Amino acid sequence: MRFLYCFLLVSGVVLGQNEYPKDYFGQPLDVPMQLSGNFGELRPNHFHAGFDFKTLQREGLEVHAVAEGYVSRIKISTFGNGKAIYITHPNGYTSVYCHLQQAVGEVGAYVDQAHYKDQAFEIELFLKPNVLQVKKGQTIALSGNTGSSEGPHLHFEFRDSKTEKIINPLLFGFDSGIKDTKKPLISALYVYPLDGKSVANQSKRPLLLNLSLQKDGSYLANKVVASGKIGFGITADDYDNVSFNKNGVYCVQSYLNGKPNFGYQFDTYSFDEMRYINALIDYPKYKKTSQRVQKLFMVNPYDLSIIKTDQSHGVITVAPNLTSVCRIEVSDFFGNKSIVSVPISYDGAAAIVDKETVVSNYFVKVNKDNIFAKDNMTVFFPAGTFFEDFEMNFNVKDGVLYLQDDSVPVFSSFTVSIESDQYADADKSKVYIADIDSRGRSGYNTTAVKGNLYSTKTRSLGKYLLKTDTTAPSVAIVSSIEGKWISSQKTIQLAIADYGSGIKSYNGYLNGAWVLFEYDNKTRKITYTFKDNQVNEGANDLKVVVADNVGNSTTFETHFFRSQK
């Protein structure tokens, strides 16, 4: 049996964490440490991989290497982590700095050279130890808001350099910069009947339980009267004394009659485990209400390494003549703890509230390959595509594939195939499989074409159909420079957009030579920053070529005058 214990020492450090160096690393910013996101926090399709440090609600703060080492990786992306720098340290760990505005110094010069060498804004570089060495405290970048960031901040991570596992920064002594005397807040507790025969409080549907505060500071839930198999789920957040915003909880542990039966603790995990978040939470409720209920059971066990459980996997079987107490403890890294006790007894009364009706015409088995076909459309789910068996609605109507909906979480990719002979060979390059979201918006999926068969791999259920895109992207300059002297202007900006298959590439040429335009996905603008050695004295010609995912392209040309004197 595997168990998770969240017992804390007086010092506030969890047992078994002493192998991490506590005084080796410094801080990446000069401002006091305040978090807008912590390690393990629940995010869409993933657990948060590090800390989000607040940067005074602005960009441009100096970002420092937290220890000596070498820059081992640089990745510049329009989405995700945006501009990111990885530093490998001699003690076996790697620090990661993301959403940067720009790299500076030697690192910045190296990045600039790489952009022009590859003639691309999006780049990924893996460096050898002797290329870019850095010292502790050295300024490597300025903080920013690039990639999928929703506001200025620094995303910071620690990783094991060999395994690439991400590690909670609190284990490296970063707890010394945070004051936290507040207990985690359990805002909701649910009981779940787990099969068609189970009943809890005369319901076959999940029920919200009332909580009463006790004199000792713990909570007592309403008594659960049930039969069959049940489980519990909680909604919980954590708070510290300095950041004033909610964060994810560090440790959750449930006990049945005093014995641990299910729990997890956010110390370290791998990127391969990220999508297990959709199995840990009540995913359908999250899609409907945006509320993340963390389940304290596994109906179909999955391999999320942070979970420790006994043979029951957190499932409680309520049988005649037995009474039980489930105790749920939610702890933070500093030893603050909230406790809920739930009395459970048996009652064989029939349910008043039946299970929610599910509209379906097929049943999907998790551990088997599943193939569904109708008319000219086929879907193939390899074994392990989903987390649990489920009843699925599959249909084809008026050229649209209706594949359940996005309330069922998907773990790994599956294949959608559509056969059509209505396109001539010359037109097939413009055809792709599109998905349609709940708002009616169309999305592009990379599509393979073989004869009359179009196929794509995806990880989302919903609507799919074939679409054709013959419209080129739009390109417009933000402020006209045509025939003007712009000697004092620092940048040139263009707005680019494509409402079909989406933008694939953008390239700028100044006087015939490639120049770097940086793309901001939030504003849909590309920006060129003037560098004196790339501009002619006097007349200059600018050309920008923007292409979409199926090969349509637009060329924008203009000319301007500039003096470097």
Side-chain angles (χ1 to χ4, degrees):
M1 293 190 298
R2 300 183 301 158
F3 297 108
L4 178 71
Y5 295 94
C6 298
F7 300 130
L8 300 171
L9 297 177
V10 174
S11 64
V13 180
V14 177
L15 288 170
Q17 295 175 355
N18 294 327
E19 69 271 19
Y20 296 103
K22 302 296 189 296
D23 302 314
Y24 186 89
F25 295 103
Q27 294 294 323
L29 296 170
D30 293 325
V31 298
M33 184 191 302
Q34 285 189 293
L35 300 181
S36 58
N38 66 343
F39 186 81
E41 193 171 276
L42 307 180
R43 299 286 180 88
N45 293 319
H46 70 286
F47 302 104
H48 193 225
F51 277 0
D52 283 344
F53 287 112
K54 295 183 179 182
T55 56
L56 306 179
Q57 298 181 330
R58 61 185 176 90
E59 300 183 40
L61 274 63
E62 291 187 350
V63 178
H64 307 293
V66 295
E68 68 171 336
Y70 71 94
V71 176
S72 54
R73 183 183 177 193
I74 298 169
K75 186 173 183 180
I76 311 294
S77 174
T78 56
F79 295 95
N81 286 330
K83 298 181 181 181
I85 295 173
Y86 301 66
I87 297 176
T88 295
H89 306 284
N91 66 344
Y93 300 103
T94 294
S95 56
V96 186
Y97 315 75
C98 305
H99 304 308
L100 304 171
Q101 182 189 80
Q102 61 181 352
V104 299
E106 291 181 62
V107 183
Y110 189 90
V111 171
D112 285 343
Q113 291 175 4
H115 282 307
Y116 279 85
K117 180 182 177 182
D118 294 350
Q119 294 194 355
F121 170 55
E122 293 193 273
I123 55 176
E124 185 169 15
L125 312 169
F126 294 91
L127 287 67
K128 294 182 179 180
N130 60 347
V131 177
L132 280 178
Q133 296 183 347
V134 297
K135 298 179 180 179
K136 184 175 183 177
Q138 178 178 330
T139 302
I140 58 170
L142 301 179
S143 67
N145 186 30
T146 57
S148 298
S149 170
E150 296 180 354
H153 72 281
L154 173 68
H155 174 86
F156 176 81
E157 299 176 12
F158 278 119
R159 301 185 186 182
D160 184 295
S161 298
K162 289 184 179 180
T163 65
E164 280 289 304
K165 284 190 173 183
I166 42 179
I167 306 168
N168 193 331
L170 292 173
L171 300 175
F172 293 91
F174 275 51
D175 56 316
S176 64
I178 301 175
K179 184 177 180 180
D180 184 354
T181 61
K182 298 181 178 180
K183 294 180 180 181
L185 175 63
I186 301 174
S187 55
L189 172 66
Y190 290 86
V191 59
Y192 287 79
L194 297 182
D195 59 32
K197 298 179 181 179
S198 300
V199 178
N201 292 358
Q202 295 186 296
S203 174
K204 289 189 175 183
R205 300 185 188 185
L207 284 179
L208 179 66
L209 300 175
N210 291 328
L211 302 178
S212 300
L213 180 63
Q214 305 299 294
K215 291 183 179 180
D216 63 358
S218 68
Y219 289 87
L220 179 66
N222 283 1
K223 186 175 184 179
V224 173
V225 180
S227 61
K229 297 180 178 180
I230 64 170
F232 292 100
I234 61 167
T235 300
D237 299 296
D238 193 26
Y239 299 82
D240 61 45
N241 295 28
V242 296
S243 299
F244 307 109
N245 53 267
K246 66 181 181 181
N247 290 311
V249 297
Y250 173 62
C251 177
V252 179
Q253 179 66 57
S254 67
Y255 301 82
L256 184 63
N257 298 327
K259 296 182 179 179
N261 67 337
F262 191 94
Y264 45 91
Q265 182 168 294
F266 287 101
D267 288 327
T268 180
Y269 45 85
S270 71
F271 283 95
D272 292 340
E273 299 177 275
M274 286 296 197
R275 286 187 75 88
Y276 283 127
I277 185 176
N278 295 333
L280 178 67
I281 66 173
D282 182 342
Y283 190 80
K285 176 176 281 293
Y286 164 64
K287 296 301 292 186
K288 292 178 181 178
T289 68
S290 298
Q291 181 187 25
R292 292 187 176 96
V293 179
Q294 301 166 231
K295 297 187 295 186
L296 305 181
F297 59 88
M298 295 187 290
V299 173
N300 188 52
Y302 50 91
D303 295 325
L304 177 55
S305 62
I306 63 171
I307 292 179
K308 312 298 178 184
T309 180
D310 63 8
Q311 298 99 323
S312 73
H313 303 295
V315 176
I316 299 170
T317 301
V318 185
N321 302 318
L322 292 177
T323 59
S324 304
V325 174
C326 178
R327 186 173 85 253
I328 300 167
E329 299 183 356
V330 181
S331 309
D332 64 23
F333 189 87
F334 300 86
N336 305 302
K337 183 185 298 184
S338 293
I339 301 174
V340 176
S341 296
V342 190
I344 306 168
S345 64
Y346 175 82
D347 185 346
I352 296 176
V353 180
D354 208 346
K355 291 183 64 176
E356 189 173 355
T357 302
V358 177
V359 178
S360 66
N361 50 7
Y362 292 96
F363 190 77
V364 176
K365 299 285 289 184
V366 169
N367 297 321
K368 293 184 179 181
D369 291 347
N370 295 266
I371 300 177
F372 304 95
K374 183 177 180 181
D375 299 340
N376 62 327
M377 302 192 184
T378 304
V379 180
F380 172 59
F381 299 126
T385 299
F386 302 98
F387 298 107
E388 296 181 4
D389 300 344
F390 70 100
E391 296 181 61
M392 184 184 72
N393 184 26
F394 171 84
N395 197 14
V396 175
K397 185 178 180 181
D398 298 327
V400 179
L401 169 63
Y402 294 86
L403 190 58
Q404 189 60 23
D405 56 48
D406 65 357
S407 66
V408 176
V410 181
F411 178 65
S412 58
S413 297
F414 61 91
T415 302
V416 173
S417 300
I418 303 176
E419 190 169 7
S420 177
D421 59 3
Q422 69 181 61
Y423 303 104
D425 289 344
D427 300 327
K428 289 180 179 179
S429 63
K430 308 297 183 185
V431 180
Y432 63 98
I433 296 178
D435 58 85
I436 308 297
D437 67 14
S438 58
R439 297 181 182 180
R441 297 174 300 188
S442 173
Y444 171 82
N445 293 274
T446 302
T447 303
V449 184
K450 187 175 182 180
N452 292 327
L453 186 66
Y454 302 82
S455 61
T456 189
K457 289 187 178 296
T458 181
R459 289 201 292 190
S460 298
L461 298 175
K463 300 177 184 177
Y464 290 89
L465 74 161
L466 286 181
K467 294 195 75 172
T468 303
D469 181 7
T470 58
T471 303
S474 64
V475 182
I477 195 159
V478 174
S479 180
S480 176
I481 59 173
E482 181 77 22
K484 297 179 181 179
W485 282 90
I486 57 169
S487 302
S488 62
Q489 193 165 315
K490 295 181 179 180
T491 62
I492 297 174
Q493 275 194 334
L494 291 91
I496 64 174
D498 187 85
Y499 300 101
S501 57
I503 299 292
K504 182 179 182 180
S505 65
Y506 39 89
N507 287 284
Y509 303 89
L510 189 57
N511 304 314
W514 187 91
V515 291
L516 175 65
F517 273 85
E518 298 195 10
Y519 179 65
D520 183 348
N521 69 75
K522 303 174 185 67
T523 62
R524 295 184 178 180
K525 293 177 181 176
I526 56 174
T527 302
Y528 167 72
T529 301
F530 279 108
K531 304 281 180 72
D532 289 347
N533 60 350
Q534 296 166 348
V535 184
N536 290 339
E537 181 71 22
N540 290 269
D541 295 316
L542 176 67
K543 180 171 74 172
V544 176
V545 182
V546 181
D548 65 20
N549 279 295
V550 296
N552 303 305
S553 66
T554 298
T555 299
F556 172 88
E557 294 184 278
T558 189
H559 70 278
F560 61 91
F561 299 90
R562 187 176 177 88
S563 175
Q564 310 302 324
K565 297 178 181 179

